[in-house]
Structures are given as C-alpha cells and as structure tokens.
Amino acid sequence: MSNLPSIRLGTLFGIPVEINVSWFVIFLLVAVTLTTGYFPQQLEGRSNLTYAIMGIVTTLAFFASVLIHEFAHSLVARAGGLRIARVTLFIFGGVSQMEDEPRRPGLEFVMASAGPGTSILLAAMFFLAGEALFLFQAEASIIVVLDYLAVINLSVGVFNLLPGFPLDGGRILRAVLWAITGDMLKATRWASRMGQLIGVALISVAVIGVLLYQTFDLIWFAVMGWFISGLATTAYQQQVVKSRLAQVSVAQIMSAPAVVVSADLTLEDMAHSYFLGGRHSRYPVVADGTVVGLVDIKAAQKVRRDDWPVTTVADVAYKDLSCVYVGPETTVDSILPQLDPMRAGVVFVVDGGRLSGIVSRADVIRLISDDGDSTP
Ligand SMILES: [Zn+2]
C-alpha cells in the first residue's frame, strides 16, 4: 500500500496532510454504496440527485472524521515531544507517521487513547445533532446522514479499541503491559501476538460468513485481518532490531582507527590506493590533523578522468559536515537518520576532540546480521 504514491493536500497545525492513491478506491466504494444502497433503503421517495448529494456529503464528512481522529493522535504526540512527519489517509483509514516512538508508557497510553476517544466523542455529537433536528422536525435526509455519521464514528472508535498491535487498542495494551513489566520489548511482543490473533479472528469471521451465510460484505473483514496480522508481525520485528541497536554504542561498532585521506592527495592516487581494493566507500578528508570533508567515488566521478592527476581530494570533497559528529557513547539507534544514503551516509565518532573512528551503514548491517547468527 505504501508503495502507491500520495498526494499532498496541504498542512494543518503545521503537519503535512496526504492522501494515498488507494484512498480513492474506498472513497468511491463508500459513496456508491451509500448513494445506491443504504440511503434509498433508509429513506424512500427521494430523487437520485438527493441520494447522490447525501452519499458524497456523508463520505466527505466520514473522512473528515478520520482525519480528526488522526490529528487527535498527532497533536497529543507532539505535545508529548514527538515529531510527526505527516498524516496520511489511505484505503484502511488514516495513519500518523511519527519520526520517533514514545519513550514512556504514559505518553503512549494517552496518545493511543486520543484517537478512539475522539471518534466516540464525534459519534455522540452527530447523534445529539440528529436528535435535536428530529425534535425540530428538520428535513429527514439531514437526520439520516447525521445518524449514519454517528454509527460509523462509533464503529471506528470501537474497532480501533480492539486490543491488538498496531491498532490503537493494541498500543493501549502495550502501554499498560509496558508500565507493569517495565519491558517495552516484551510488551510489544504480547500486543503484536494479540494483533495476529485479531487478524486471524477477522479472517475466520469472513470465511464463516461467506461459507454459511453467503454474506460477501464480510470479505472486507478478511482483507482487514490479513493487513492487521501482517503489520503486527513487522512491527514486532522492527522493535526487536531497534531495541538491539539502542543497547550498542557507536564506539563498539566503529571502524577504528579511522582510515583518512590527506586533503592534498590527487584523485588519481586516491583511486589507486583507496577505492581499488579498499574496504570503505567513503573517507574523511584530513588537513593539518582536522577533518575538513568527506570524499567518495561519486565525488571523484564528477571530475573528468583526464583531470584526476591534477585535481586534489579537497577540491571535490563534501564540506557540509553538520550532524556527522557524535560522541563514543551515542547509541546506534539514534544515528540511523544520518546513515541514510541520501544524507551523509557515515558518522564520525569524536572523542575529546580527536577522530577515533567511523560508523557506516555497513557496520550497522553487520551488527544486525551478527545478532541473528549468534543466537544460541
Ligand atoms: Zn487511531
């Protein structure tokens, strides 16, 4: 799903809002079902145009409700100090993409509860508005729409409270287990198992529904169930890796002593003595004992081959080294953003002003795969 493109709608409270292309499928499905099925059944004798307007207005209001649900999560998370990359609407609803995970169970509990709490609150508001308009004998089509929005928001709230990771209820369960045991990883494992169980239960309901009652509406349950159990499994695996990396310092995995190149070396010599047969792909450039840049084969390739003997490493090196220096005690999980190939790709470990080593992506990958092999 995430490999489908998303369209940026704008920003709300400083958080970018996106719609994934898959969302249009569900939008059409809901609008058509409401227009041609649900509303004509609930309220007879209206024109097709009326049903179509009701269908579209209701679908838009429903997705606005989903957006409000996501923003409840996001704003609470941000108030708790977490960074929110974006909010995306997609085929199964909404998702708030956080750049980091909560570090305390209390914050996770409040953050996870905020979404379903908001949905249930919205349900109550739509219900009360419908009741009030009914008392004033307002147009029935408006009341039918409000009632539907009350029911759908209540369903969203209750469904998300199912206690399996990655649903909100699963995050609430994880927060409670985490607070009790003090072990985030164990709490994630149990909450993820519950997520897998709920996924299997949803699939079973769909299979039974189709086999015994020929109710094909329930196939949606199977799709949801498959999706949830898949996410539960990956979420746990990611947590395992992250927790491992949080226990290892950069000093433990860095390549030391750092292999450096001198700033006045020519690209010709650099290519022969470092890139051919060298075990690194990026090197710190040093002049008078201090690091002045970073060089890799791509930087050299920007220069014509004929000019390599007369061009120095310093001429082509990347000189923006901001956020590339860390202390030896820094944990590996916190340097992952810098190791992104689109950014620096390496981190310099500096101890008392001296360059003591380098950590590259390869060092982290080696650490992760070693962990996999060394289990007794
Ligand atoms: Zn939620």
Side-chain angles (χ1 to χ4, degrees):
M1 218 61 64
S2 52
N3 41 23
L4 289 173
S6 293
I7 299 159
R8 170 78 68 94
L9 285 188
T11 56
L12 202 58
F13 301 106
I15 300 171
V17 179
E18 287 182 347
I19 286 187
N20 187 264
V21 170
S22 68
W23 176 85
F24 290 99
V25 176
I26 192 70
F27 182 91
L28 265 179
L29 198 70
V30 174
V32 168
T33 313
L34 289 175
T35 301
T36 61
Y38 182 79
F39 286 138
Q41 273 167 25
Q42 294 291 308
L43 190 71
E44 285 174 7
R46 303 297 152 107
S47 68
N48 285 341
L49 180 66
T50 308
Y51 292 133
I53 292 171
M54 288 168 75
I56 290 169
V57 167
T58 307
T59 313
L60 286 175
F62 169 45
F63 285 108
S65 304
V66 172
L67 206 57
I68 293 170
H69 171 117
E70 284 313 320
F71 267 87
H73 288 307
S74 290
L75 294 179
V76 169
R78 198 168 65 179
L82 301 180
R83 279 164 302 176
I84 309 297
R86 66 187 71 85
V87 167
T88 310
L89 289 181
F90 73 120
I91 194 160
F92 294 120
V95 63
S96 307
Q97 283 165 1
M98 289 178 287
E99 291 192 354
D100 26 30
E101 289 271 309
R103 296 185 184 272
R104 303 184 310 268
L107 175 60
E108 164 126 90
F109 184 88
V110 181
M111 198 181 85
S113 312
T118 303
S119 291
I120 291 168
L121 201 69
L122 282 170
M125 281 165 53
F126 282 121
F127 175 74
L128 290 176
E131 291 296 292
L133 289 179
F134 182 72
L135 283 180
F136 291 108
Q137 295 176 334
E139 164 58 33
S141 55
I142 302 175
I143 298 170
V144 170
V145 164
L146 288 171
D147 282 349
Y148 178 83
L149 288 171
V151 171
I152 196 79
N153 271 296
L154 186 66
S155 314
V156 167
V158 170
F159 180 79
N160 275 293
L161 283 175
L162 290 178
F165 205 75
L167 294 170
D168 295 334
R171 284 185 168 270
I172 293 172
L173 175 67
R174 175 169 84 164
V176 171
L177 295 174
W178 182 6
I180 294 171
T181 63
D183 185 341
M184 198 245 210
L185 194 59
K186 202 187 274 176
T188 308
R189 183 164 61 227
W190 288 343
S192 306
R193 290 240 171 93
M194 282 299 290
Q196 290 166 329
L197 214 66
I198 286 170
V200 172
L202 288 172
I203 295 171
S204 312
V205 167
V207 170
I208 292 168
V210 170
L211 290 184
L212 295 186
Y213 307 103
Q214 279 81 44
T215 43
F216 288 92
D217 298 357
L218 289 178
I219 284 181
W220 193 242
F221 273 52
V223 180
M224 278 302 263
W226 172 77
F227 180 70
I228 288 172
S229 62
L231 276 185
T233 311
T234 8
Y236 177 62
Q237 287 161 349
Q238 282 171 355
Q239 198 57 53
V240 170
V241 171
K242 264 196 192 162
S243 305
R244 288 261 166 82
L245 297 185
Q247 288 160 5
V248 179
S249 71
V250 289
Q252 288 172 273
I253 64 162
M254 66 188 184
S255 307
V259 183
V260 298
V261 301
S262 170
D264 52 15
L265 197 71
T266 66
L267 290 185
E268 189 69 27
D269 291 341
M270 165 99 206
H272 282 297
S273 10
Y274 289 89
F275 291 135
L276 291 178
R279 71 182 191 98
H280 303 295
S281 53
R282 292 177 177 203
Y283 295 89
V285 180
V286 171
D288 300 328
T290 48
V291 180
V292 296
L294 183 68
V295 72
D296 63 9
I297 190 80
K298 265 189 254 155
Q301 280 163 347
K302 285 182 191 142
V303 176
R304 274 191 17 212
R305 193 73 180 74
D306 296 345
D307 292 334
W308 280 18
V310 292
T311 311
T312 67
V313 166
D315 293 333
V316 299
Y318 306 107
K319 308 229 168 50
D320 179 19
L321 297 178
S322 48
C323 358
V324 180
Y325 294 102
V326 296
E329 300 305 319
T330 312
T331 55
V332 176
D333 62 322
S334 58
I335 62 163
L336 295 181
Q338 277 98 304
L339 294 183
D340 189 311
M342 299 306 287
R343 295 172 71 176
V346 292
V347 165
F348 297 145
V349 182
V350 177
D351 195 0
R354 256 190 48 252
L355 179 69
S356 59
I358 304 180
V359 179
S360 70
R361 219 177 155 71
D363 297 314
V364 176
I365 292 169
R366 201 171 306 126
L367 170 70
I368 296 169
S369 46
D370 280 356
D371 270 8
D373 297 341
S374 64
T375 35

